[in-house]
Amino acid sequence: QTFTVTLSILILALLFLIFCRFFPPVPALGLLAATAFGVFIYRAGKAQVELLFYFVSFCAFVLLLQLFVRPRWWLAVLAGATTGLAHLTKASVVPGLALWVAVYAVAIIWSAERGRRLTLLVLVVASFFAVIFPYIQTSKRIYDSYFYNVNSTFVMWCDSSTEAFEFLDKHGDKDKWREVPPDERPSFHKYWREHSAGEMVRRIWKGSLDLATQNARAIGYYKFVIALLIA
């Protein structure tokens, strides 16, 4: 607990320096307060990877955005490597990187320096894979997938959190889930086969409502977002 609290204080200090790089002192202090008392305070007392992941992935986000306005080769390498480190911290950044690649590719079309920016895009992706390659190589050997993730592989295709917890409790080990016949494992194909289009739409609609109402109240920083929008 002492370690995580100390780490959170260090990360907040570094975040404040980053905020001051892009905002005046008062807005930077406001962002710091919202981050500290709306996010970090709920995580700092536990031995979790989230605080480090939030920081590293935020740094990757800032660096990737900077490539739109400051196309530099060293910045591309740093952005890709930082994104790779964020992935190693917690494997949740691939959709964000894919979105950046798509947007940057579109930006290249309207750029006068297409060749240079295309090179930067390649550098970002190459740096990302250079950092994560040992990890994804091991993932492929153990789970038969370079980007194996228990949530996207099994959990999201269950009908409820209860069903997901029961499946993971029985078959969550890296070897036990192999004992379940492929047709019985939670998967996209199984979900598509057993549910109608109407059920899929209702699930997305209900989940969106829960996220906007019930779950939002459990997240400390939602009130800061509302205050920012009103201001």
Side-chain angles (χ1 to χ4, degrees):
Q1 188 178 50
T2 301
F3 172 79
T4 54
V5 170
T6 305
L7 177 64
S8 68
I9 294 172
L10 175 61
I11 291 176
L12 287 170
L14 294 174
L15 282 175
F16 184 64
L17 295 177
I18 297 174
F19 294 159
C20 288
R21 172 68 176 79
F22 298 97
F23 298 100
V26 173
L29 190 61
L31 281 173
L32 184 70
T35 304
F37 299 106
V39 182
F40 277 43
I41 197 171
Y42 300 109
R43 300 285 190 178
K46 302 176 182 178
Q48 295 179 319
V49 75
E50 271 72 12
L51 293 182
L52 185 60
F53 172 70
Y54 294 160
F55 176 68
V56 179
S57 59
F58 175 72
C59 290
F61 172 74
V62 172
L63 291 169
L64 290 171
L65 287 185
Q66 284 294 291
L67 283 171
F68 285 100
V69 293
R70 297 182 61 203
R72 305 285 190 272
W73 69 267
W74 61 267
L75 194 60
V77 173
L78 183 60
T82 305
T83 306
L85 289 175
H87 181 78
L88 294 180
T89 307
K90 189 173 184 178
S92 301
V93 300
V94 174
L97 179 62
L99 179 61
W100 177 86
V101 169
V103 175
Y104 202 76
V106 172
I108 290 175
I109 299 175
W110 280 275
S111 174
E113 302 175 319
R114 294 179 184 176
R116 182 188 180 193
R117 287 184 177 264
L118 181 60
T119 302
L120 296 180
L121 190 152
V122 173
L123 282 175
V124 169
V125 176
S127 301
F128 172 77
F129 279 101
V131 170
I132 71 170
F133 181 74
Y135 174 78
I136 63 174
Q137 187 182 37
T138 304
S139 180
K140 175 65 175 177
R141 176 172 54 83
I142 297 176
Y143 300 108
D144 296 326
S145 173
Y146 286 110
F147 290 95
Y148 171 81
N149 186 302
V150 67
N151 295 307
S152 57
T153 304
F154 300 121
V155 173
M156 68 182 291
W157 305 114
C158 296
D159 285 321
S160 66
S161 57
T162 301
E163 180 184 336
F165 284 130
E166 289 177 352
F167 178 84
L168 294 179
D169 185 54
K170 294 179 181 179
H171 312 291
D173 184 79
K174 65 182 180 182
D175 295 318
K176 288 183 179 179
W177 62 267
R178 298 178 186 274
E179 301 172 359
V180 183
D183 288 343
E184 297 180 14
R185 299 175 195 165
S187 66
F188 167 78
H189 298 291
K190 182 175 183 293
Y191 188 83
W192 183 268
R193 185 175 64 249
E194 297 179 352
H195 295 78
S196 66
E199 289 174 328
M200 297 178 192
V201 172
R202 283 194 295 272
R203 172 175 175 165
I204 295 174
W205 174 251
K206 183 179 183 303
S208 300
L209 287 178
D210 288 345
L211 185 62
T213 56
Q214 300 176 17
N215 296 344
R217 289 197 296 271
I219 301 173
Y221 55 79
Y222 82 95
K223 54 184 174 291
F224 295 108
V225 176
I226 294 175
L228 179 62
L229 291 173
I230 292 175

